[in-house]
Amino acid sequence: MVLNERHIQFLKHVRSYSKIERYHGLLPKRETYLYDHELIDELLKAGLIDEGSICTACGNNLEGYRISRKAERELGRLDMDIKDHDWETFCGIDVEINEILDKVHVRALIDIFHLSRISLFRGIAPRCILQEAFTDDILNVLLDVGYINKISLKGPAILYENGFVLADRASLMLKQAGYVK
């Protein structure tokens, strides 16, 4: 597929959201109202963007798009710089470990953090891997107290469609507790 100006503009817009932790790298669908739906469909069919949704414990489900690996290579040829967002440093904020959490819950959070950093998994901790290591009760507690969010992705190049991502409060807690740097 040959990228035209409209395609590149949309891909840049999607890429700009990849650095926002709050959106977990997804450009919300509500932000795409200015773009033609045919343009988005072309990019989805070409495998340049992935469609996904994040389900939070509070029921605020985010649906949107993110840059695919294929698009990273394509844009790399155009000398555009796409990088994974760095772990943000949190300073001066006190977070206490919730009384509900045990060592196994903290270990699950650490595993989710590390699995989501593996480039093959593209920012999510795959559900199938986590369910082998932890019971559903452990993961459900983390979902209920808002430390992790469910994420599901669709696209031709997606290997792991369902998984989990850390919520901001879990990232902050792990950072301040010294479990991750």
Side-chain angles (χ1 to χ4, degrees):
M1 173 180 186
V2 177
L3 296 177
N4 61 30
E5 186 73 28
R6 291 178 26 230
H7 294 122
I8 293 174
Q9 180 183 7
F10 183 76
L11 290 172
K12 283 182 180 179
H13 193 187
V14 173
R15 182 187 67 181
S16 69
Y17 275 76
S18 69
K19 298 176 182 173
I20 302 174
E21 289 253 348
R22 176 179 166 192
Y23 296 118
H24 299 284
L26 291 177
L27 169 68
K29 278 190 178 180
R30 65 179 179 268
E31 298 289 329
T32 63
Y33 68 92
L34 294 175
Y35 297 98
D36 186 15
H37 291 290
E38 292 175 8
L39 170 77
I40 296 170
D41 289 339
E42 287 174 9
L43 292 172
L44 279 169
K45 288 178 184 172
L48 296 176
I49 59 174
D50 300 325
E51 185 177 17
S53 65
I54 297 176
C55 303
T56 60
C58 66
N60 185 12
N61 299 338
L62 171 70
E63 294 183 352
Y65 306 98
R66 72 175 186 177
I67 295 285
S68 70
R69 284 181 183 257
K70 184 177 180 181
E72 288 177 9
R73 287 191 299 270
E74 244 350 271
L75 292 173
R77 279 192 246 149
L78 297 173
D79 293 323
M80 294 181 190
D81 196 18
I82 297 179
K83 296 180 181 175
D84 291 331
H85 57 281
D86 295 328
W87 181 264
E88 290 186 28
T89 56
F90 298 101
C91 300
I93 303 172
D94 293 327
V95 171
E96 297 178 11
I97 295 178
N98 196 321
E99 294 175 0
I100 298 171
L101 301 182
D102 294 330
K103 284 185 179 181
V104 69
H105 295 109
V106 174
R107 197 173 77 221
L109 290 173
I110 293 169
D111 285 356
I112 291 170
F113 168 77
H114 288 296
L115 286 171
S116 67
R117 295 298 184 233
I118 296 173
S119 61
L120 176 66
F121 302 148
R122 302 269 303 141
I124 69 170
R127 174 181 291 196
C128 59
I129 293 174
L130 287 170
Q131 286 179 333
E132 290 176 9
F134 303 102
T135 64
D136 286 336
D137 293 341
I138 294 167
L139 297 173
N140 287 336
V141 166
L142 293 173
L143 281 167
D144 290 343
V145 296
Y147 280 107
I148 61 174
N149 299 321
K150 285 191 276 186
I151 185 168
S152 60
L153 300 169
K154 293 186 266 184
I158 299 295
L159 296 176
Y160 297 97
E161 295 177 348
N162 297 314
F164 300 98
V165 291
L166 289 179
D168 290 339
R169 64 188 285 198
S171 299
L172 179 60
M173 182 201 62
L174 291 176
K175 174 81 172 162
Q176 290 188 345
Y179 289 110
V180 297
K181 293 183 179 186

